[in-house]
Amino acid sequence: QTTLAHIIANSSKKNGTRFVTLSATSAKTNDVRDVISQAQNEKRLFKRKTILFIDEIHRFNKSQQDTFLPHVECGTVTLIGATTENPSFQVNAALLSRCRVIVLEKLSVEAMEAILMRAVRSLGVRVLGQGEQHSSSATGGSSESLKFPVYIEEKALNTLAYLCDGDARTGLNGLQLAVQARLAAGKTTPLNITKGGSADGILITEEHVKEGLQRSHILYDRAGEEHYNCISALHKSMRGSDENASLYWLARMLEGGEDPLYVARRLVRFASEDIGLADPLALTQAVAAYQGCHFIGMPECEVILAQCVVYFARAPKSIEVYRAYSNVKECLRMHTGPLPPVPLHLRNAPTRLMKNLGYGKGYKYNPMYKEPVEQDYLPEELKGTDFFKERKT
């Protein structure tokens, strides 16, 4: 995003347009007002346009973002905001409606390989192809690090292109750390890179690249959009009875650092929303999983959540209760006028006055009857209503 801003800045200078950069991590509202004031003067006196670039715009709160509204509306500044968060959640709706959202997707594996190849060429590192071999022995010391050429396995570059998850910065940093670590170690390896001969060189393998990244780069943000994307994927996978996908999305969340109690709470909801009366024991499983996670925490509780997730994926599904309760809520929302009173025979009568007013009169105490009791429990206006039947829309 910042690179694109620099490209726009260089292009705008050629056209005589001012380009001003602010970072929401350090700028204050007064800084924004000063820039807008200068932009107004430039526009009025010199007919010169101003482009205002705000990096990490989500760091501005809603009232600070409101500062831009009238000036974006009248064209005083052309606002470009960069954010790593979902603008639907972090940017004011009024400001968002006046802007065009451009989503920058992750780089493809092919694009990452091209970037990494360009980087190794600029570093003078040679790529060791699949047909070229090396022995497992290592010789030399740190004093030899500058005397021998540096090689990197083609497989190592391919692995790095996958592990960086479309983030060029992560890929380049991982490559840099791997190269620096091998140069610091200074260990050389006999390489079969010439016909009928061999040469010593410093070799970077797939394992060295993984060490440079420290771990597989799992894209996950506990407070951002990916948090909601993954829990949605987990919920829908269990609903679709796909136990493999359910386990995968659970692992994505837990390995990315998600709070296990958050996942457990969502499972409690799922037990009643999607399984319901098709398997009443599902709710017991979910509550037990939550308590287990609370007792022992990560990483021991991961298998508890995995068991619960697989149980839910395999369980029969029913939304009967969920749909019926939704119908009740719709009935309450759509009702016009005052809500009907509780029928007198259903009211409790703890005092003499209430009894005299007819509270509880005519109520049939069900345990006293052997045969089924005919008695209305809904208000007169709703008599005969069945919330468990599909409602017409």
Side-chain angles (χ1 to χ4, degrees):
Q1 296 167 347
T2 309
T3 302
L4 285 176
H6 288 310
I7 295 173
I8 296 172
N10 293 332
S11 176
S12 62
K13 289 178 182 178
K14 298 177 183 178
N15 300 328
T17 303
R18 291 178 68 242
F19 190 92
V20 182
T21 300
L22 290 177
S23 175
T25 58
S26 57
K28 299 179 181 179
T29 307
N30 288 337
D31 299 325
V32 175
R33 290 195 176 101
D34 290 341
V35 171
I36 291 175
S37 178
Q38 294 172 8
Q40 290 172 331
N41 293 334
E42 290 283 341
K43 183 179 180 181
R44 183 175 63 254
L45 299 176
F46 305 107
K47 306 298 181 182
R48 191 181 180 193
K49 298 180 180 179
T50 298
I51 298 176
L52 175 58
F53 174 71
I54 305 293
D55 197 16
E56 306 293 344
I57 193 171
H58 62 273
R59 295 295 186 94
F60 279 150
N61 59 38
K62 301 298 184 182
S63 61
Q64 288 174 312
Q65 293 177 23
D66 284 339
T67 307
F68 300 110
L69 283 176
H71 309 290
V72 171
E73 185 76 36
C74 66
T76 301
V77 295
T78 300
L79 177 66
I80 300 177
T83 175
T84 53
E85 303 292 337
N86 188 326
S88 299
F89 301 144
Q90 303 295 338
V91 179
N92 228 344
L95 181 60
L96 196 62
S97 67
R98 291 163 172 79
C99 300
R100 179 181 178 184
V101 177
I102 299 176
V103 180
L104 301 183
E105 301 290 350
K106 294 187 295 185
L107 295 173
S108 65
V109 174
E110 293 76 13
M112 281 304 312
E113 289 176 347
I115 292 172
L116 293 173
M117 288 295 293
R118 190 180 307 156
V120 297
R121 283 197 297 266
S122 66
L123 293 173
V125 178
R126 294 182 57 183
V127 179
L128 195 65
Q130 299 290 345
E132 299 168 320
Q133 300 177 351
H134 61 87
S135 69
S136 60
S137 61
T139 61
S142 58
S143 61
E144 298 176 320
S145 61
L146 298 178
K147 300 178 183 179
F148 298 93
V150 180
Y151 298 86
I152 185 170
E153 289 180 338
E154 184 178 359
K155 183 180 179 182
L157 284 178
N158 295 338
T159 299
L160 182 57
Y162 276 97
L163 291 183
C164 63
D165 199 26
D167 189 334
R169 184 179 298 156
T170 299
L172 293 174
N173 287 342
L175 177 64
Q176 180 184 10
L177 289 174
V179 171
Q180 288 177 340
R182 295 303 294 162
L183 288 176
K187 294 182 179 180
T188 61
T189 303
L191 305 170
N192 298 325
I193 56 175
T194 59
K195 293 183 179 179
S198 63
D200 288 344
I202 296 176
L203 179 66
I204 302 171
T205 66
E206 184 180 16
E207 292 302 318
H208 299 142
V209 164
K210 290 181 178 179
E211 290 176 5
L213 281 178
Q214 292 295 308
R215 66 180 178 92
S216 177
H217 184 69
I218 300 175
L219 177 63
Y220 191 77
D221 181 4
R222 287 179 57 179
E225 181 183 5
E226 200 65 13
H227 164 85
Y228 300 102
N229 290 342
C230 285
I231 194 62
S232 175
L234 173 61
H235 197 127
K236 290 178 172 64
S237 298
M238 291 189 297
R239 179 184 292 156
S241 299
D242 191 329
E243 57 194 52
N244 288 290
S246 301
L247 276 180
Y248 173 79
W249 293 116
L250 173 67
R252 273 278 292 268
M253 298 182 74
L254 295 181
E255 295 301 312
E258 181 57 80
D259 179 8
L261 291 179
Y262 168 77
V263 180
R265 287 193 295 271
R266 299 307 305 164
L267 293 178
V268 173
R269 166 72 181 192
F270 183 92
S272 288
E273 178 180 341
D274 283 87
I275 298 177
L277 296 179
D279 183 358
L281 289 177
L283 185 57
T284 304
Q285 283 272 345
V287 174
Y290 179 88
Q291 291 176 332
C293 293
H294 180 70
F295 291 154
I296 65 176
M298 283 290 286
E300 287 82 0
C301 74
E302 59 187 16
V303 70
I304 298 176
L305 291 174
Q307 175 183 325
C308 188
V309 162
V310 173
Y311 183 97
F312 284 3
R314 294 176 177 178
K317 309 299 189 296
S318 170
I319 60 170
E320 181 185 18
V321 174
Y322 176 72
R323 185 170 55 196
Y325 189 71
S326 297
N327 290 338
V328 173
K329 291 194 296 183
E330 182 185 1
C331 174
L332 292 173
R333 284 194 299 266
M334 300 301 292
H335 185 83
T336 56
L339 291 173
V342 177
L344 286 175
H345 70 282
L346 295 181
R347 300 186 188 187
N348 195 22
T351 67
R352 183 179 299 274
L353 175 61
M354 290 179 171
K355 290 181 180 179
N356 294 336
L357 292 175
Y359 283 30
K361 184 178 181 180
Y363 172 67
K364 298 177 182 179
Y365 183 59
N366 301 71
M368 295 180 61
Y369 297 83
K370 293 181 179 180
E371 65 280 358
V373 175
E374 292 187 8
Q375 187 169 231
D376 293 328
Y377 299 96
L378 281 172
E380 184 67 26
E381 294 86 340
L382 296 176
K383 188 176 180 179
T385 302
D386 189 350
F387 294 109
F388 288 87
K389 290 183 178 179
E390 190 70 34
R391 294 176 70 86
K392 297 180 180 180
T393 57

